[in-house]
Amino acid sequence: MLEIRDLHAAVNGKAILKGLDLTVNPGEVHAIMGPNGSGKSTLANVLAGRDNYEITGGQAILDGHDLAELEPEERAQAGLFLAFQYPVEIPGVSNMEFLKAALEAVRKAQGKEEWDSVTLLRKAREACKQVNLDAQFLKRGVNEGFSGGEKKRNEIMQMLLMEPRLALLDETDSGLDIDALQTVARGVNSLRSPERGIVLVTHYQRLLDYIVPDHVHVLSDGRIIKSGGKELALELEQKGYGWLTGEEESA
Amino acid sequence: MSLPSKQQGLELKTLAMENARRSEAGGALAPLRGDSLIALEAAVFPDRKTEQWKYTSLHPLTDGHLRTAADGALPEPLPNLAAHRLVMSNGRLQEALSQLPEGVTLHRQAGQRDELLTPFALYNGAALTDAITLEVAANTEVSAPLHLLLHAASDAPAHCQTRVEVLLNPGSKLTLIEHYIGQGPVLNNAVTVIEARDNASLTHYRLQSEREDTLHISTLLFRQTGVSRIDSYQLMGGNRLRRNDVRALLEKSGAELNMQGVFVARGQSHIDNQLCVEHRAPHCTSNQVFKGLAGEKGKAILNGRIHIHEGAMGTLAELSNKNLLLSPGAEIYTKPELEIYNDDVKCAHGATVGQLDAAQQFYLQSRGIALAEAKRMLSLGFVNELILALPDESVAQWVQPWLAGELSQYPGANEEAA
């Protein structure tokens, strides 16, 4: 479903991804690990279409759509979902209003039936419950004044409602305590399905104790330098990244 | 035809004087007209060099707007925001369409002569053909809001003088919705004077939703001659020329004034707000929060003057004006202006001009929301705190479609880069 071939990308003109290949098939969970600055978050943002993240070579194809040719909203409508590393606060726009606009746009584009406001509210409450987020958060401004953990859970809550074809989670584990981590992992695991691909971008192996990946890739200097099964993550946890990149990883 | 600035001021004044002498109204209005004409003779009309008018050109007035408008056709159906409604069309009371709530009496006259400092307010007094004064009886709470529908319409360039005065007697309470509508090349030169006496309380709305081809110059004067409270909510769309001079006089110790507002200038429209709050007595409070938006070639101005007189000890005065530019060609000018003549005051002001946040736009887009809709949502979010604070349900209902219209993608606007 996601086919990335020889992807080159630059951020504000600086080359970050330098020939990345990755294939994600439906039903698979991939983890992308790597040291700081290796290009993990760049990959997530390039795929989602953030401004100033520019594809300079190669291709990323999602279900036949060349992502480079789609606006960010069209990528979401095509089934891509990015859980942000740093979710944005939007005071004045309520979470509920935001979900309504997002789900209307995405479900319409995907030819799914629209949810009336009663259905939407019920589904949103269920999703909140699933990630241990009080339903009061639906009334508040988007991420406004949320703690770090609440923001991450809000991302997963949105993901549950959007039912994406491909979910990209950008360091969703960072800043979470162990309880929140388990909650988030439960949410992600509930979305595992033969129809859906999941890509976890993470710095630490910790998350992978709870969301067990089918494939683990190590990204370094804009390229995948090693791929393996879930045991590769454990090996990385023991040895650090240095044995692969040839550099000393600082603590 | 463009005239040198000085000459333009003189020409406007000559036209205004001629028109004022020609127009007719008898009886109760004669003394006000006479006095205003004398004052007008001594007044100086602004030109582009006048500081308070430097962002607003009066050039649109030189193509015939200083002729008195004939009757204009009222829209069908008339907007209806409250149980009781008074309608003025092109400056004249429409008795058949008007109904007064209990506790309010109406006089076809106006008396305010002092404190109206702008030449256009003097012109209003000199040339008016009708006027209403509403008096709320002492110790009377008028339970339902009063909808004051002020209409102006003309097919040819013309103007009308709208004049409303409201007196809140001691212990009275009123909710007044001052609502401007209209269409066509007509200048509504309006004066509203509101006096609040001891223990009076007013909730005031000012809704300016005329079509974009209209012109509007207005002077709003609040006089708090007693220990009173005024809460004023002002929602203003831009049009071909909109100029609001708002002056509040806090004249008795303990008076409190709250003004909140949202102004929006889209397309080619213009809106110029000149606010002046005068603390003349000690221990008065004024609080002002305004938010402005401008898009395309729209131009919005807010000048907020706070004048704290000698002897006005214990004054609390605040002014905040935040603005959002929606496109590169739009203009916003904001300036707080403080004049403080004693030490014992607490005074705060802040003004900002920003643009839509790219990270917020991307966040919404990444959830499937198209860019134009994302911009609309963020613009609405920017003013939402003021909208949610509107206390009356009927106005809260009115504001939703109005704001949606003001903030939707402007027809003819080019798709801009994200």
Side-chain angles (χ1 to χ4, degrees):
Chain A
M1 61 189 300
L2 178 67
E3 192 76 40
I4 300 177
R5 286 187 222 114
D6 192 30
L7 188 68
H8 288 70
V11 181
N12 293 320
K14 184 171 182 260
I16 306 287
L17 298 184
K18 302 167 184 171
L20 187 141
D21 294 281
L22 178 69
T23 302
V24 179
N25 295 309
E28 292 178 352
V29 175
H30 290 244
I32 297 184
M33 305 185 70
N36 290 327
S38 58
K40 302 188 299 292
S41 283
T42 298
L43 174 62
N45 282 300
V46 162
L47 294 179
R50 187 188 283 272
D51 241 9
N52 300 323
Y53 286 69
E54 194 196 347
I55 293 178
T56 51
Q59 275 188 318
I61 311 282
L62 175 65
D63 288 332
H65 302 285
D66 184 348
L67 290 180
E69 287 171 7
L70 301 183
E71 294 295 325
E73 60 267 33
E74 294 168 329
R75 301 181 194 203
Q77 291 163 8
L80 182 81
F81 181 93
L82 170 65
F84 281 57
Q85 183 178 6
Y86 303 109
V88 181
E89 298 201 14
I90 311 181
V93 177
S94 81
N95 227 356
M96 199 60 214
E97 203 183 322
F98 162 61
L99 287 172
K100 183 171 183 287
L103 284 159
E104 256 175 31
V106 167
R107 292 185 70 85
K108 191 172 171 204
Q110 296 174 351
K112 294 180 184 166
E113 64 163 322
E114 268 186 53
W115 287 343
D116 59 34
S117 44
V118 178
T119 307
L120 175 63
L121 187 60
R122 180 170 51 80
K123 299 253 185 198
R125 284 189 177 141
E126 282 167 14
C128 281
K129 201 171 172 194
Q130 225 179 316
V131 296
N132 267 339
L133 204 59
D134 194 300
Q136 289 299 317
F137 281 88
L138 293 171
K139 294 183 189 164
R140 287 172 54 179
V142 176
N143 293 317
E144 187 184 3
F146 290 21
S147 72
E150 287 160 354
K151 284 180 183 167
K152 295 295 175 76
R153 281 182 275 155
N154 199 33
E155 294 292 287
I156 302 303
M157 187 269 284
Q158 294 168 36
M159 188 173 78
L160 293 170
L161 288 169
M162 309 270 295
E163 300 169 341
R165 178 98 168 115
L166 179 77
L168 277 172
L169 287 84
D170 187 7
E171 308 231 2
T172 297
D173 50 336
S174 68
L176 292 185
D177 62 30
I178 199 74
D179 290 339
L181 187 70
Q182 290 183 16
T183 304
V184 161
R186 268 199 306 276
V188 175
N189 283 329
S190 76
L191 271 184
R192 288 182 90 141
S193 118
E195 297 299 308
R196 180 173 291 129
I198 297 175
V199 177
L200 309 166
V201 171
T202 181
H203 191 71
Y204 299 106
Q205 189 268 340
R206 195 173 66 145
L207 179 67
L208 308 181
D209 287 342
Y210 303 101
I211 309 172
V212 180
D214 302 303
H215 301 277
V216 175
H217 311 276
V218 179
L219 191 62
S220 175
D221 194 27
R223 266 186 292 260
I224 286 175
I225 56 167
K226 191 167 176 64
S227 296
K230 58 179 186 254
E231 64 289 343
L232 177 58
L234 295 166
E235 200 174 350
L236 287 167
E237 184 76 354
Q238 284 173 1
K239 300 188 186 170
Y241 292 111
W243 65 284
L244 286 173
T245 61
E247 291 163 30
E248 279 296 304
E249 163 94 343
S250 58
Chain B
M1 183 181 64
S2 183
L3 292 164
S5 62
K6 202 86 187 169
Q7 213 176 323
Q8 183 178 304
L10 284 171
E11 184 183 299
L12 286 175
K13 180 171 167 173
T14 309
L15 286 168
M17 297 286 295
E18 279 173 11
N19 190 64
R21 289 198 183 95
R22 251 197 331 263
S23 64
E24 288 184 24
L29 295 172
L32 175 64
R33 284 170 50 101
D35 287 357
S36 300
L37 193 61
I38 292 166
L40 185 65
E41 203 142 21
V44 178
F45 266 71
D47 54 51
R48 291 305 283 272
K49 298 220 173 79
T50 311
E51 174 67 19
Q52 264 75 38
W53 288 82
K54 73 174 176 184
Y55 298 116
T56 297
S57 166
L58 289 171
H59 186 63
L61 295 187
T62 49
D63 52 357
H65 284 95
L66 298 187
R67 279 191 294 265
T68 302
D71 289 338
L74 282 156
E76 287 275 354
L78 280 177
N80 197 0
L81 296 180
H84 300 280
R85 184 177 62 195
L86 286 179
V87 181
M88 289 183 92
S89 180
N90 287 356
R92 283 176 283 270
L93 179 68
Q94 308 296 302
E95 279 174 286
L97 300 169
S98 301
Q99 191 199 7
L100 276 178
E102 209 158 312
V104 180
T105 49
L106 180 138
H107 316 277
R108 301 289 279 272
Q109 64 182 56
Q112 181 72 38
R113 283 159 230 201
D114 311 322
E115 307 289 1
L116 288 171
L117 302 178
T118 67
F120 285 96
L122 297 174
Y123 179 38
N124 174 287
L128 50 77
T129 49
D130 196 358
I132 60 170
T133 294
L134 299 169
E135 189 171 350
V136 188
N139 302 316
T140 301
E141 281 193 20
V142 182
S143 51
L146 175 57
H147 185 195
L148 194 56
L149 192 64
L150 304 171
H151 170 256
S154 175
D155 296 328
H159 74 171
C160 65
Q161 316 291 349
T162 300
R163 179 75 169 225
V164 175
E165 300 191 4
V166 179
L167 173 63
L168 288 119
N169 277 306
S172 64
K173 193 172 175 185
L174 178 70
T175 295
L176 182 70
I177 304 169
E178 184 190 2
H179 183 188
Y180 292 91
I181 59 169
Q183 67 276 332
V186 61
L187 165 68
N188 193 349
N189 180 35
V191 171
T192 306
V193 180
I194 294 170
E195 181 181 346
R197 297 191 172 159
D198 277 329
N199 299 315
S201 161
L202 173 71
T203 301
H204 170 252
Y205 295 94
R206 189 168 231 228
L207 315 178
Q208 297 184 331
S209 59
E210 301 103 317
R211 296 238 187 101
E212 209 177 314
D213 55 352
T214 59
L215 300 90
H216 177 113
I217 295 178
S218 65
T219 306
L220 169 62
L221 178 68
F222 290 121
R223 296 195 65 173
Q224 295 187 251
T225 54
V227 187
S228 55
R229 175 176 171 144
I230 294 179
D231 295 295
S232 177
Y233 303 87
Q234 303 169 13
L235 303 161
M236 305 163 280
N239 59 4
R240 192 165 163 222
L241 167 66
R242 183 181 305 287
R243 163 76 176 212
N244 293 317
D245 281 88
V246 178
R247 210 155 152 259
L249 311 177
L250 297 160
E251 298 181 332
K252 180 126 182 227
S253 177
E256 181 181 343
L257 170 72
N258 298 300
M259 284 202 284
Q260 305 194 340
V262 173
F263 51 94
V264 188
R266 298 291 299 267
Q268 307 268 348
S269 72
H270 183 99
I271 178 162
D272 181 350
N273 303 292
Q274 299 284 322
L275 314 173
C276 175
V277 174
E278 300 217 21
H279 282 263
R280 292 181 172 172
H283 304 292
C284 291
T285 302
S286 67
N287 189 14
Q288 303 176 73
V289 181
F290 284 86
K291 289 195 169 186
L293 296 125
E296 296 78 42
K297 301 277 175 208
K299 188 166 161 186
I301 300 112
L302 185 135
N303 193 92
R305 182 164 176 257
I306 299 173
H307 182 183
I308 301 175
H309 290 249
E310 208 178 328
M313 311 93 70
T315 292
L316 295 176
E318 288 186 23
L319 166 67
S320 156
N321 176 223
K322 292 182 180 154
N323 299 285
L324 195 57
L325 284 167
L326 300 174
S327 29
E331 295 172 61
I332 293 180
Y333 303 91
T334 175
K335 188 174 73 172
E337 209 180 303
L338 306 183
E339 270 182 64
I340 302 176
Y341 296 101
N342 79 70
D343 295 332
D344 178 22
V345 302
K346 195 168 162 231
C347 198
H349 64 87
T352 60
V353 180
Q355 48 189 329
L356 288 172
D357 185 283
Q360 293 180 340
Q361 281 180 41
F362 175 64
Y363 191 74
L364 295 180
Q365 282 180 282
S366 78
R367 299 299 182 250
I369 298 166
L371 182 61
E373 172 67 4
K375 286 183 171 185
R376 192 197 64 79
M377 288 175 75
L378 294 174
S379 306
L380 194 60
F382 175 72
V383 298
N384 212 17
E385 57 167 322
L386 298 183
I387 300 304
L388 293 175
L390 296 171
D392 284 272
E393 187 56 30
S394 64
V395 178
Q397 299 251 328
W398 175 88
V399 81
Q400 298 297 344
W402 174 76
L403 205 54
E406 291 287 333
L407 297 182
S408 61
Q409 192 175 24
Y410 197 79
N414 293 324
E415 269 297 318
E416 292 150 31

